Structure formats: structure tokens, C-alpha cells
Amino acid sequence: MPRLAFALAALLAAVLAILLATAPASAQSVDSARLRPRTAVAERVHPGDVHIDGRLDEPSWQRLLTSPRTRIGDFTAHSPLPGTIPHDSTIAAIAFDDDAVYVAVRAYDSHPDSIVAPFMRRDDESRADWLFVELDTRHDRRNAFSLGVNPRGVQVDGVWIDDVGYDYAWNGVWQARTRVDSLGWTAEFRIPFSQLRSAASSGDDRLVTWGLNIYRNNAHHSSSSDWAPRLPSHGGRVVSHFNDLVGIELPRSSHAFELTPYLSSQSSPHSALVTGSPSTTHPARASAGGDVVAHLPSGLTLDATIRPDFGQVEADPSQINLTTFETFQAERRPFFVNGGDLFHYDLGIPFTSRGDAFDSEQAFYTRRIGAPPRGSVPNSAIVADVPLATDVLAAAKISGRIAGGWTVGALAAQSASTDALYLDASGRRLSTRVEPRTLAAATRIIRDFRNGGSAIGVFADIADAGSSDAELDTVLPRRSMFGGLDARHRMGGYEASAMAGASMVDGDARALARTQLGPGHFLGRLDAGYAKYDSTATSITGAIARVKYAKIDGAFTWSATGYAVSPTFDVGAAGFQRNADWLVALASASYHRDLDSTHRFRSWTVSTDGTGLGWSWGGERRSVVTTAAISGELWNYRGGSLSLARDGAAGSVELLRGGPIVYLPSRWSASASAHSDSRESTTLALGTSASRSAATGSWSAGASPSVTSRLSDRLSANASADVQFATDGVAYLAELTDASSARRWTVASLHSHSLSLVARADYSFSANVTLQGYLQPYFGAGRYDNVKIASVAGTRAVLAPLASRATRMTDGAIGIDLQDGAQAARVSNPDYTVRELHGSAVLRWEYLPGSEVYVVWTQSRSGADTAGALRLGADARELFSIAPRNVFLVKLSYRIVP
């Protein structure tokens, strides 16, 4: 290891030694009974006994809140001193009838005039006092619903996934009312059974046991507390430490259903290719569809949607991707978000090597459904109109937790075939199929043991395009399938887990050749004989496996992971995959401390995350990564972090995009962040990053400042920027062919810079009527020079500068003299300047629970040229001179519950 690596290790060891020497043990609770598992009891009430008004003055609540049997109290602080008695006490009680679960919470406050209670849009969990009810209705100790309300009655909700992850995208239909008084404030929840996917009871006994936590955030005291303690020693795990809730009696299955039809009218521009004339009018188009939720026997639920409309969903952020790796986009569409955790089969690991991240790999990626078409118009097209997305005709899923610890789910979605229009050189208006009609489906079964401490599961999915047209058959596989097994076993503070799966892709040999030679595989390279590229194959299979052993409890946690992906493994048609042909050994460790107020720091963490080694299946070293990080927060609630990473010398099989492996020298990277006092109405944050590889002349530097401000009780705003400068000394340029038809590869130095600005503003007329504005301009540019050519030495490539043999032509193209007697090769001008703008305004009115009106305006502008430089003033003027694409949408939905 180089001297710099030794210096880094010594520095971190010294910092850790100092912190350990000066830090006392974390503060402990003065009442250890609060830290032990406890049980809450819910009682049945008669219909009409509870009125959702926030008053808690009904006789039922008075009895349940005062009875030692049903009163929920003795909360434990989560912050600022975990494990201690909180500043103000909280009590709660739970009741139910045949339709819903009711929760009453009294949050005592010694200074009720200081309660932070702004209006805000739904799901905006910014600074305020909050009360959350969290229910593990499957009682699998892994997943839970989380429903919160602030003193203004603003609702937020989400789901805990796999014990540690949280997804804000889930939206349930439930009610909450609040009231501030001289004792503090109160909240009253009504949560219909229809919104809670509960574990089924056995036989005629409809009594169930759920996991329960009630969480309180006290903004003006900068503290939070839980009924089920949430301590740093839990290693970030949440649901597995919930207490139990007993007494709930599920209603007898009534086969009830909910229907939410919608009507929408959208006005958007069409090109002359679509309209058949140069008219600039934007005729309104009406559409209709709907969602159905049916509650089936045995605890199963059917969710279905017909011609879903997602016009109110925010656009994906702009970015330039010049790598071989696909950009991952988060799912935002409600149908696929709600209950989507069951179909998330994780294929990744927390590992990043030279910008290649493994953490987003998954067997089923719902963004494939309704994605942009994958086909293209013919090269003869002069101008084309290609739809931005395919239409989802219908989708349905059945899911639930049934008796005996079984969790099951099945999902299917049908998307329409898609055609693009284009003009050829003679002016004819023609069409071509760019996406076949496709069925995507997934099935998940999990069996829990030992009250959720162990589990084994199976997963399978398929993307089937059936018989598409002859042209698409040569480009796209007809069918992609995956099947996998996974298991976990928790032993005290340790957990072992494993996953294994296999993929199969079939179709025309030409389409599968493109897959094998394409990104993530590159099986045709000279040094990949072990990968067995087959140009005649009409099906290819591959395998993946992961094993992990981890210490998950305590201040010191660690994990060790082994990971293998075969060269021919591919789930790209149904899942999300960047990587194949990897063998990885990975380790991580973290040490966390919480300190009392006699110290400057209130908490700090030292960690190494994603330190590992990687090889190809042929034994080539692909990665050597060492990481270290430290983070902390002061008692004034300002904090920050610093991380360092070193990528050791290793081979890249992606750099030449099908060429031989190139061994790259080591690279250092660092990032730092800082934030201001999170208790203030205005908070500032800054993130910075830098990297350097001296041997290749590569470097990067970037900064991401942001400001969030609560301007009034109803108005909040956020603005952020991302500025990046970089030189990549080994950026891929082109593949050429010399006079003997031999393949040659060139790279160059790419000097790039980009600026992205994001601004959001939210105004709340009430808890149910909000207006949100969003604006994102983006500018990016890149310029290539210093061309190098890859010469093959044995089975690997060596990069050599071309100096005067590569010249710029008058039109910006690059001429390259290969010195083989052939005419100089020509590479079209690779420089670029990109300008984009996305903006939207969304007015949302939830006029009844689950029934909404959306009024949406979106605008997008996009332009590009080969200038290769940013001139922000001129680029901004150019951007606003581009004809915008405006879309106006009015959408009305109405929830019907028979």
C-alpha cells in the first residue's frame, strides 16, 4: 500500500483513539423497564363512540387513556440523549371497531405556546412537531406502515421496508384531527382496516398481534421519543424493535372493494407528423381510467388499475450520462409504489468502484413498465416523432400476509405497443414499431419463522414481448426471466443472509448478440474467452449469488459480504442491472457514540463502508477499493462529514466498450458536507467532492449548496445548485477499423462542466389544499482533446498518445491517422453543449379522503449543439428561445366505498 494509504489509516486510527479516550459511555435510561419489550392492549368500541375531532373527550378515550391496562406511556428519548426520559411526556390509547383502528395521543408540553405548527403540503415532513403511529400489521418485524400528523392536521405517511429503509411514496387513505390546548396538543387517528395489509388470523380466531411504535418529535425542544425505544445500539434497525399490540380483532371478510375512477383532460402540443399539418393549436384530449382495491379472503388484497394516468408525477431530474451504465430513476407512480416493497428483490451490494455503483441492482424494476420505447426510427428518417413513453393499459397485483407466517404477492402489467412517425428523404410520412406489446409479471413468496427472526423466500419475474415485428426481433429479446431464492437468520445481535438466482433471456440470435456484446457484458472482447460469447445463441442463461454475515447490534457494527455475478447474467428487460462478470469480497465497519451535553459533540460516527476487492470470472483484478469516513453533530445541531476513498490500480473491461481490458492507475476521491442548525426556520447545507488520478490526468471537483426556508406558516421554499468540473483523461471516443479490418479503439481527455439549479416552493391554503411549484434549469458541456489509441499487448490494451496524428477539422470532426496506409479515420464532432429546463405547478385538493383534484401545468425545453463550452448568459438566452412543450392537465378522481 502506498505511503498515502498508510498515512490515511494512521490518521483515522488517531482520530478514533482520541474520540474513544474522551467519550464516556452513552447516557442510559434511569428507568430500564422502558427499554424492555412491552405490550399494548387495544379494545373494541361501538360505532359512533369515537368522533375524529382531536378533542379526546369521549368516554371511551377517557377510560382507555387512564386505565393501566390500555394506557400507553413511558416513552424513551431517541434524541438528543438516546435511552433517557424525554423532556415532555406522551400517552396514547388504541381502539377499534369493524371498520377501522382508532388512536388517541396526548402530547404534553410545558410550553404549548412554542409548539411548531406550520401548514405544509402532504408528505412534507419538514420542521414541525409531529406524532406518528407505526404499525407492523404483518408482524414480520421487517415492514411497517408509518402515519404522522402535525398540530395543523397535515398528514404524512410512508412505509418501513426491510427493517431499515423508509419510503415516503406510499399514500394511504386515513383521517387525523389535532387540537392545541393549555396542556400541549392532541391527535386523533382513524385508520381503516382496508389500508392496512394485515396478517390473516387462523380459523375463526380473528385476534391478531401487530408490532407497534408511537413516535413523537418535539421541534422547539429539538427532541424526539418513542414508545418502542429506537436506540443507536440497534444499528439503524427499526421495525424489529417494535413492541407488540394485542387485542385487535380483524373484521370478517366482507369482500368489500373500493373504486376510484378518474377523468382527465390534457392539452399538449403535437408535431406536424402527428397532426398532419403545421397547426400550433393544442387540442384537449380527454381520458378516463380508474383504480380498484378489493379485499379478498385470507388477508389478501387485490389492487388493479386500468389505463392509469400519472400526469401529476414530478419529472425526473436532468443529467448527462456518458458512461455505459444506465441511470437509475426512482419510482414515483402511486400504483407501483403502494405495496411495491414486496416485489423489491435486491440483487446489489453497497459497493462503488470508479463511479460504478452496485447498490441499485434489482430483479424487478417497475420503471420498465411504461418506459420510453427501446426501438428507433430508420437511418433514412429526416425528422421523427417518437413517443416519450409507452402506455400502460392495465396492471394488477394481489398481495397479503396469510396465516402461518406466509407473505405472498403477484403482479402483472400490460403495456401497449408503440409506433413512431417519421419523414423520409422523399417527404413521405411513415411509421415504424419502436416498442412491442409487453407483459411484465412478478411473484413473491416469503415464509417467516421465529417471530420474524428468520425467513426464506422465492421470487420470479418475466418480461414477455411475445411475437413482435421482424425488425424489433433483431434488436430486442423476446423474453426475459429470473428466479431466485433468499434466506436470512438472526442470532442475537448477528444476522446471516444469502441470495441466489438465475436468469434466462431468449429471442432472435441477432438480438441476443447485441445483449452479449452490450454494456455490462462485453463478452466479445479479446481477453474474455472464459465468457463464451456465442453469436448463434437464441437463449442465454446466467447466475448470481450473495452471502453476508453481519453484526447488527451495538455501538460497533460490521459486515462481510461475498458476491458473484456470472458474465452472462442478465435481467435488463425486467430488472435494473449495470454489472455482470464480477466476483467481489466486501467489508464494512462502523462505530457510533452519543455524548452528553458536557461535550462539544452530541454524536459522532467513524466508519469504513464498501471496502473491497473485485475480479472478473477470468481472474482479472477489476477493483481494489478502500474507504474511510467520519461524521458528527455538535450540540448546537450543526454538523458535517468527511469521507475518503482510494481506487487501487485495476482493470476496466468497460472503458473500450468491447475492446480488451485496460489497466488504470490508482485514483483518490474525497467528499465533505456541512449543515447548519436544523432547528432554525432557515437551514443551509453544503456538499463538496473531488477526485484525482495523476497518472491519467483525470480530476474532478464539485459543490452542491442548498438552502431551505420556512418563510411563513403556509409558505416554504427550497433552492439548491450542483456545480461540477471534471477532466477525464481516458474518456471513450470511438471504435475504428484499420486497413486490415482490425478493430482499433480511441480515448481522449474529456473536459466537462455542468450547472444544475433546482427551486421548489410550497404554499398551503389548508391541510388539504396545496400549491407546489418546481423549476430545474440544467446546463452541461464537454470538449474532447488529447486523443489516445489503444494498442493491444497480449490480451490487454495499452494507451498511447496520438499527438499530431489526431487533428480537428473545420467542422469540428476529429481526423485520426492510423498510419496503416488507409485514409485518415473520421470521428464526428463529439463535443456537446446541453440546455434543458423542466418546470411545473401542481394544485392539489383532497376534497374527500382519497378523492382528489389536480390542476397541473408543466413546461419543458431542451436543446443541444456541439459548441463544447458553457456561456451561461448566452446559454440561458438560447434556452428560453427554444419553443417550449407546455402540458396542461386537469384530473378528477372520486373514491367510492360501497
Side-chain angles (χ1 to χ4, degrees):
M1 183 182 291
R3 287 176 294 176
L4 188 55
F6 280 115
L8 172 62
L11 174 61
L12 289 174
V15 170
L16 181 59
I18 294 171
L19 290 172
L20 290 174
T22 59
S26 299
Q28 296 297 314
S29 170
V30 297
D31 182 3
S32 60
R34 299 180 185 225
L35 304 180
R36 293 196 293 266
R38 292 177 286 171
T39 300
V41 179
E43 286 197 359
R44 176 179 287 278
V45 294
H46 296 292
D49 282 358
V50 173
H51 304 282
I52 306 302
D53 55 13
R55 293 182 182 276
L56 310 188
D57 54 359
E58 297 91 336
S60 296
W61 285 141
Q62 295 296 314
R63 175 175 54 83
L64 295 175
L65 287 168
T66 56
S67 169
R69 180 173 178 271
T70 55
R71 170 175 166 154
I72 298 171
D74 295 332
F75 281 49
T76 302
H78 171 63
S79 68
L81 290 174
T84 61
I85 295 177
H87 185 275
D88 289 312
S89 61
T90 308
I91 61 171
I94 297 179
F96 68 96
D97 60 19
D98 285 338
D99 297 318
V101 175
Y102 302 89
V103 184
V105 187
R106 156 65 70 180
Y108 291 99
D109 200 302
S110 54
H111 297 284
D113 56 332
S114 300
I115 290 174
V116 181
F119 279 110
M120 55 188 70
R121 64 178 172 85
R122 177 164 178 162
D123 288 335
D124 179 9
E125 194 184 339
S126 55
R127 183 176 181 270
D129 282 39
W130 292 99
L131 288 169
F132 278 81
V133 176
E134 302 182 310
L135 296 168
D136 173 12
T137 57
R138 298 177 188 169
H139 208 230
D140 60 3
R141 303 188 183 278
R142 307 287 291 190
N143 305 281
F145 297 97
S146 179
L147 307 97
V149 66
N150 82 349
R152 292 282 195 181
V154 177
Q155 296 177 206
V156 300
D157 48 20
V159 289
W160 287 102
I161 300 173
D162 201 24
D163 209 7
V164 294
Y166 191 79
D167 188 349
Y168 285 95
W170 177 77
N171 283 318
V173 180
W174 53 282
Q175 295 171 270
R177 295 292 183 270
T178 58
R179 192 169 294 272
V180 178
D181 56 26
S182 60
L183 299 178
W185 66 290
T186 57
E188 203 169 8
F189 297 76
R190 182 184 185 274
I191 311 169
F193 281 112
S194 63
Q195 303 299 303
L196 303 174
R197 311 301 170 94
S198 176
S201 54
S202 301
D204 293 331
D205 182 7
R206 291 178 288 135
L207 290 174
V208 292
T209 299
W210 291 352
L212 170 68
N213 181 44
I214 297 176
Y215 164 75
R216 177 184 181 184
N217 182 72
N218 190 323
H220 59 286
H221 284 305
S222 299
S223 64
S224 61
S225 58
D226 298 83
W227 181 60
R230 191 174 302 177
L231 305 176
S233 60
H234 294 166
R237 294 178 297 114
V238 177
V239 183
S240 57
H241 289 278
F242 279 9
N243 289 326
D244 284 345
L245 171 65
V246 300
I248 295 285
E249 185 178 4
L250 296 180
R252 295 189 182 275
S253 176
S254 59
H255 303 269
F257 69 92
E258 304 167 22
L259 175 63
T260 309
Y262 82 84
L263 294 171
S264 71
S265 178
Q266 177 175 304
S267 173
S268 59
H270 295 295
S271 74
L273 284 173
V274 177
T275 63
S277 70
S279 171
T280 58
T281 60
H282 300 167
R285 293 176 298 155
S287 61
D291 301 330
V292 177
V293 178
H295 306 288
L296 308 177
S298 303
L300 297 176
T301 301
L302 167 67
D303 296 89
T305 184
I306 300 173
R307 300 198 68 88
D309 178 85
F310 306 117
Q312 74 277 17
V313 176
E314 188 175 286
D316 294 319
S318 298
Q319 52 188 306
I320 295 174
N321 184 356
L322 299 177
T323 71
T324 62
F325 306 116
E326 180 183 3
T327 299
F328 180 83
Q329 303 287 7
E331 181 61 88
R332 296 183 175 90
R333 298 170 296 177
F335 176 82
F336 298 106
V337 166
N338 296 342
D341 58 295
L342 183 58
F343 302 97
H344 179 84
Y345 192 84
D346 183 19
L347 299 179
I349 52 176
F351 183 58
T352 300
S353 175
R354 295 185 183 270
D356 177 13
F358 290 67
D359 56 351
S360 298
E361 315 279 275
Q362 51 193 265
F364 193 60
Y365 180 46
T366 55
R367 289 295 298 262
R368 296 272 179 252
I369 303 169
R374 294 170 291 172
S376 60
V377 298
N379 293 331
S380 60
I382 303 302
V383 63
D385 186 273
V386 181
L388 299 177
T390 55
D391 289 331
V392 180
L393 299 177
K397 60 190 173 196
I398 295 176
S399 60
R401 183 169 172 88
I402 60 179
W406 293 91
T407 300
V408 298
L411 182 152
Q414 181 78 60
S415 57
S417 58
T418 305
D419 293 337
L421 300 175
Y422 68 95
L423 293 179
D424 65 9
S426 62
R428 293 181 302 169
R429 191 164 72 104
L430 304 171
S431 68
T432 185
R433 181 69 37 95
V434 289
E435 183 69 29
R437 186 183 181 99
T438 302
L439 172 68
T443 302
R444 180 67 157 143
I445 302 174
I446 304 172
R447 175 67 162 92
D448 291 338
F449 306 92
R450 300 172 53 244
N451 293 320
S454 301
I456 186 169
V458 297
F459 181 89
D461 68 37
I462 184 172
D464 190 344
S467 177
S468 60
D469 65 18
E471 185 65 30
L472 280 181
D473 275 348
T474 66
V475 178
L476 305 177
R478 292 193 189 97
R479 188 178 297 105
S480 172
M481 292 179 285
F482 171 82
L485 297 169
D486 60 335
R488 56 179 171 79
H489 179 65
R490 188 166 293 174
M491 305 151 287
Y494 296 83
E495 184 174 86
S497 61
M499 173 275 295
S503 68
M504 184 179 78
V505 180
D506 62 33
D508 186 277
R510 290 165 292 181
L512 296 195
R514 291 168 64 99
T515 298
Q516 295 176 78
L517 298 175
H521 302 286
F522 296 124
L523 302 187
R525 57 190 177 91
L526 301 176
D527 47 349
Y530 63 89
K532 298 181 180 179
Y533 165 63
D534 183 355
S535 62
T536 65
T538 56
S539 69
I540 54 175
T541 59
I544 188 171
R546 179 187 64 227
V547 294
K548 180 179 179 181
Y549 187 70
K551 182 180 184 295
I552 57 177
D553 271 345
F556 178 65
T557 57
W558 54 264
S559 67
T561 303
Y563 186 66
V565 190
S566 74
T568 51
F569 180 79
D570 191 278
V571 294
F576 184 86
Q577 178 188 353
R578 286 192 176 109
N579 302 286
D581 193 13
W582 275 94
L583 299 169
V584 179
L586 182 67
S588 67
S590 176
Y591 188 83
H592 176 87
R593 298 304 297 263
D594 290 282
L595 313 177
D596 61 35
S597 57
T598 63
H599 293 80
R600 185 173 181 82
F601 279 87
R602 61 185 296 263
S603 65
W604 54 262
T605 303
V606 175
S607 63
T608 175
D609 189 14
T611 294
L613 302 172
W615 303 266
S616 72
W617 281 57
E620 302 148 320
R621 187 173 66 189
R622 295 190 65 178
S623 181
V624 182
V625 179
T626 306
T627 68
I630 185 168
S631 62
E633 189 170 77
L634 304 170
W635 273 99
N636 61 12
Y637 289 81
R638 299 172 183 172
S641 65
L642 171 66
S643 65
L644 299 173
R646 180 181 184 273
D647 286 281
S652 171
V653 301
E654 296 91 6
L655 178 60
L656 298 184
R657 304 189 182 186
I661 191 170
V662 180
Y663 280 87
L664 298 176
S666 62
R667 184 184 79 155
W668 284 90
S669 59
S671 64
S673 67
H675 64 82
S676 66
D677 188 343
S678 58
R679 300 168 298 178
E680 300 294 333
S681 58
T682 298
T683 58
L684 304 174
L686 175 65
T688 61
S689 62
S691 68
R692 184 170 185 266
S693 176
T696 63
S698 301
W699 63 272
S700 68
S704 302
S706 66
V707 55
T708 301
S709 182
R710 169 63 57 181
L711 302 174
S712 72
D713 280 352
R714 297 180 183 272
L715 178 63
S716 64
N718 169 269
S720 61
D722 183 69
V723 184
Q724 300 291 331
F725 299 89
T727 291
D728 183 352
V730 287
Y732 178 79
L733 183 61
E735 179 180 335
L736 307 174
T737 303
D738 64 19
S740 62
S741 298
R743 300 166 67 191
R744 308 287 290 274
W745 297 268
T746 57
V747 300
S749 294
L750 169 60
H751 310 280
S752 62
H753 35 291
S754 64
L755 170 64
S756 175
L757 303 173
V758 176
R760 287 184 173 89
D762 296 309
Y763 186 84
S764 298
F765 299 94
S766 70
N768 297 319
V769 182
T770 58
L771 175 64
Q772 181 179 21
Y774 167 80
L775 185 68
Q776 189 216 5
Y778 176 87
F779 304 93
R783 178 176 53 84
Y784 290 79
D785 62 17
N786 190 24
V787 179
K788 309 174 186 68
I789 194 165
S791 57
V792 179
T795 58
R796 66 175 64 180
V798 178
L799 302 178
L802 286 180
S804 60
R805 291 165 54 195
T807 58
R808 282 280 184 168
M809 299 180 180
T810 56
D811 61 355
I814 301 176
I816 301 175
D817 180 9
L818 299 177
Q819 292 188 343
D820 56 7
Q823 185 177 1
R826 174 188 171 93
V827 178
S828 298
N829 189 351
D831 299 345
Y832 63 87
T833 299
V834 174
R835 311 168 189 88
E836 291 187 356
L837 175 70
H838 298 289
S840 66
V842 180
L843 177 67
R844 174 186 176 272
W845 174 28
E846 187 175 12
Y847 61 94
L848 291 172
S851 301
E852 299 170 321
V853 173
Y854 284 97
V855 180
V856 183
W857 166 72
T858 64
Q859 183 181 104
S860 59
R861 301 169 186 256
S862 179
D865 57 40
T866 57
L870 284 188
R871 300 177 298 275
L872 290 180
D875 287 330
R877 289 190 295 272
E878 176 67 21
L879 178 62
F880 283 96
S881 70
I882 298 171
R885 183 179 189 274
N886 289 298
V887 177
F888 297 91
L889 170 71
V890 178
K891 180 179 177 182
L892 168 68
S893 66
Y894 180 73
R895 179 171 175 259
I896 302 171
V897 183

